[in-house]
Amino acid sequence: LEGIRDPNLDGFARSLLQPDTGWFSVAEPRELPPEDAWIDWYGNLEVTPPLPDYPWGRIYYGTADGVSMHPDILEFLEAQELQSPTVAIDTAWLHIRPVAEVVSFVPHQDGGFLMLVTSPEAGVQLLRDLERRGFGDAVMSRGLSTERTVREFLEDTDTIARNLQLQQQRVNPIVAQLQREFRVPDDRVVFVPGVYGEIGDSLWPNLVNLVVLGDRLLVSDPQGAIVGGQDVLKAEFRRLLSSAGGRVSFIDDAQYHEMKGNLHCATNARRQGSSRSF
């Protein structure tokens, strides 16, 4: 399904042609308010792993301020029936607003999955823990335009208050919605530390905005503070996913972070199709 995006990228869908694979397009680009300019891009269109009653998963996408994924696309997806009804998630609090910045699903070694959710509260808690342990001068977002020490983050009381509010007013309702719609138990929800600026941009590379390649995860290098020779954000991410059993590779995506996106925003993955009947 060809994306509604920059015409310079139109040739990509055609490049996937092979036996039993074709491409087609649905809908035409439309005029949108500047703050919603990316709502129709496919970083804002995702599908879960297999769920009870949905062996091919369910489709979900972001919506903001009454602007949703292109209605022609949604009509097409709903008509396929296999992965619908689709689920709309509030992404109005983000700068770019793709759903891939909020939630991702990663495989677990037991055949199930973990649901990763960006968590401003976990980000604030990580900063407070570093300060408590005496690492207030340690540098987060090393080498990036958002670079600050742990203490500088915490002394910005407006940012801290805003992030705690985001957790309560935005993130927690999303988690409750996803658990209800996708039947995700509490022990399969993983809150990944993130801190957001005034415009809704991630102040260090967004670890949830990742790419799954089988049992391997490609994840943004978060450029976290170095404590005891380790990047604290990398170490925390590995700890949070330790039960999953997969491999994690951190990729330098500083260029995309400066453009207010991260690894998933810049990556297409070619996937092996399935011959399963349905």
Side-chain angles (χ1 to χ4, degrees), residues 119-276:
S119 174
E121 183 176 58
V124 170
Q125 182 57 48
L126 182 139
L127 292 170
R128 287 174 171 170
D129 182 60
L130 287 170
E131 171 80 353
R132 179 185 59 79
R133 293 164 54 200
F135 300 111
D137 292 329
V139 177
M140 304 290 287
S141 302
R142 289 173 289 110
L144 302 172
S145 62
T146 50
E147 178 181 290
R148 303 184 197 177
T149 67
V150 169
R151 185 171 295 110
E152 286 170 338
F153 268 107
L154 292 173
E155 288 176 347
D156 184 349
T157 55
D158 287 344
T159 292
I160 296 302
R162 187 185 313 113
N163 275 268
L164 295 176
Q165 187 177 58
L166 279 176
Q167 183 76 39
Q168 296 301 316
Q169 297 184 358
R170 300 289 195 166
V171 175
N172 288 349
I174 290 171
V175 172
Q177 176 193 11
L178 295 179
Q179 287 193 269
R180 181 176 64 253
E181 292 282 357
F182 302 151
R183 305 186 206 175
V184 183
D186 290 346
D187 64 355
R188 290 304 169 104
V189 179
V190 177
F191 290 101
V192 178
V195 172
Y196 290 84
E198 187 174 1
I199 64 173
D201 56 322
S202 183
L203 296 183
W204 58 64
N206 188 333
L207 295 164
V208 167
N209 196 277
L210 53 76
V211 176
V212 178
L213 296 178
D215 66 349
R216 186 180 183 189
L217 305 182
L218 304 184
V219 184
S220 299
D221 186 334
Q223 303 295 345
I226 302 299
V227 173
Q230 284 192 315
D231 181 313
V232 294
L233 285 169
K234 287 182 181 180
E236 178 64 3
F237 187 83
R238 291 186 189 279
R239 184 189 70 80
L240 290 169
L241 270 67
S242 59
S243 70
R247 296 175 294 158
V248 177
S249 296
F250 291 101
I251 309 296
D252 180 359
D253 68 344
Q255 175 185 357
Y256 299 108
H257 178 74
E258 299 297 356
M259 297 170 68
K260 309 304 182 186
N262 284 113
L263 196 66
H264 184 282
C265 304
T267 307
N268 284 300
R270 297 192 63 164
R271 303 190 182 277
Q272 180 65 43
S274 171
S275 60
R276 265 180 71 193

Side-chain angles (χ1 to χ4, degrees), residues 68-84:
S68 188
M69 175 66 65
H70 197 299
D72 292 350
I73 295 291
L74 294 180
E75 181 182 18
F76 169 80
L77 296 173
E78 294 284 355
Q80 307 311 304
E81 298 185 358
L82 283 175
Q83 296 167 307
S84 62

